[in-house]
Amino acid sequence: MIILHQPKRAFGLPCPSAFCVKLEAYLRMAEVPYELLEGEPTDAPKGKVPWITHNDKAIGDSSLVIEYLKCEFGDPLDGKLSVKEWALGHAIQKMLEESLYFVSSYSKWADDESFAIYAAELFQGMPEEQRAYVPEMVRGKVLEKFKAQGIGRHSSAEVYAIGCKDVASFIALLGDKPYLLGAAPTSFDACALGVIGNLKDGPFKSPVQDEIRASASLSGYIDRMRANYFSDLA
Ligand SMILES: N[C@@H](CCC(=O)N[C@@H](CS)C(=O)NCC(=O)O)C(=O)O
C-alpha cells in the first residue's frame, strides 16, 4: 500500500501545500489505493512535502513520485498522450510549478493579512511563548528564500502581474475543454488543481485569486475536479 505523507488538511483544501494536492489528486485520478499519514517537511527524505513510502522505500518530490507510480501501477492518465500533448502539458506544469507556485507562496508569506491567517494555522500547536517570535523568524527565512529564488526582488504589484499573466495564459490554453488536454484528466490537471485550486479556494486574497475567480471556465474546471475527485471533503 502506498503511504502518502503530507501536512494535515486545512482551509477546506485537501492540503495547504499545492504539491501535496497534486500528488493526492493524481492518486485519486489514477485510482491507486493509498493511505494518508501526517508528516512535515522536516521528516521528509528531501526536506519537502509530499513524499511516499512504499515497499520500505521513501520517495520525495511529487513529480518523481508520479514517475514511480507510473512504473509500478501503469500510466492510465498520461499513457495515451501524443508527444506534442505531453510537451504542452509539461511546459504548462513548469509554468505552474516554477512561476505561479512562487506567486501563490508569496501571497501567503509576504502579505501581512494573509500571513496572520496562515501563521495561525501553521503554528497552532506551538507553546505561546514560542509563538511570540517563531512565526516572524520563520517568515524572515522564507522571505530570504524568495530573494534567492528571484520573486522576492519584485514589488508586490509586479509579483501579482506575473501571476495574472500565468493565469491568463492557462485560461487561454484550457479554452472550453473539460480538462487541460481534452476530455479526460491527466497528471497535468492534478498539478493545476494543486496550484490554481489552492489559489482559488484558499483564504489568501490577491489580484491573482480575483483573476481566477473571475473566469467561469477556469473556476468551473477547478470545481469540476473537486466534485469528481474530492467530494468526500466537501
Ligand atoms: N519539487 C517538489 C516541491 C515541494 C515543495 O516545495 N513543497 C513545499 C510545500 S508546498 C515544502 O515542503 N516546503 C518546505 C520547505 O521548503 O522547507 C515537489 O514537486 O514535491
Side-chain angles (χ1 to χ4, degrees):
M1 173 71 86
I2 298 285
I3 311 290
L4 170 61
H5 304 260
Q6 62 179 39
K8 67 176 168 28
R9 305 201 189 286
F11 308 121
L13 303 170
C15 184
S17 155
F19 292 99
C20 295
V21 178
K22 167 189 165 188
L23 184 52
E24 191 173 11
Y26 178 87
L27 287 161
R28 289 179 175 218
M29 289 171 173
E31 298 183 359
V32 177
Y34 68 97
E35 273 173 22
L36 267 186
L37 200 60
E38 263 177 42
E40 296 299 327
T42 42
D43 310 316
K46 292 188 177 175
K48 285 184 185 276
V49 289
W51 79 99
I52 63 159
T53 41
H54 185 235
N55 293 341
D56 297 327
K57 280 194 289 274
I59 305 163
D61 190 283
S62 61
S63 291
L64 295 184
V65 171
I66 289 172
E67 288 309 312
Y68 174 83
L69 295 173
K70 287 178 178 178
C71 290
E72 290 285 312
F73 300 96
D75 188 3
L77 302 185
D78 300 347
K80 290 199 182 108
L81 293 176
S82 68
V83 174
K84 270 202 168 169
E85 285 170 331
W86 174 84
L88 179 63
H90 179 75
I92 295 170
Q93 176 161 309
K94 289 294 168 195
M95 173 178 77
L96 298 183
E97 297 190 356
E98 307 298 336
S99 177
L100 189 56
Y101 165 74
F102 285 98
V103 174
S104 171
S105 204
Y106 175 98
S107 76
K108 292 193 247 189
W109 290 92
D111 179 273
D112 288 339
E113 211 175 297
S114 293
F115 181 67
I117 298 169
Y118 192 40
E121 171 64 34
L122 207 58
F123 301 102
Q124 213 175 36
M126 187 170 269
E128 213 167 308
E129 322 79 74
Q130 290 177 21
R131 233 184 305 149
Y133 65 93
V134 172
E136 279 304 328
M137 199 177 76
V138 175
R139 186 187 194 190
K141 287 193 175 149
V142 172
L143 295 180
E144 270 172 32
K145 284 188 192 167
F146 287 161
K147 277 236 163 101
Q149 188 272 343
I151 197 98
R153 292 169 193 270
H154 300 308
S155 68
S156 70
E158 287 167 336
V159 170
Y160 293 129
I162 290 168
C164 286
K165 252 193 190 166
D166 290 344
V167 168
S169 161
F170 191 92
I171 291 169
L173 291 165
L174 174 65
D176 57 7
K177 298 189 294 299
Y179 291 99
L180 185 57
L181 298 175
T186 66
S187 65
F188 307 116
D189 296 293
C191 171
L193 183 63
V195 179
I196 301 179
N198 276 17
L199 270 162
K200 172 184 173 287
D201 294 322
F204 312 111
K205 294 189 194 330
S206 75
V208 181
Q209 184 182 65
D210 296 340
E211 182 96 355
I212 296 168
R213 290 184 177 182
S215 163
S217 60
L218 185 53
S219 295
Y221 164 77
I222 295 296
D223 294 347
R224 195 160 50 247
M225 285 196 279
R226 283 208 196 294
N228 288 347
Y229 300 106
F230 284 98
S231 57
D232 52 315
L233 305 187

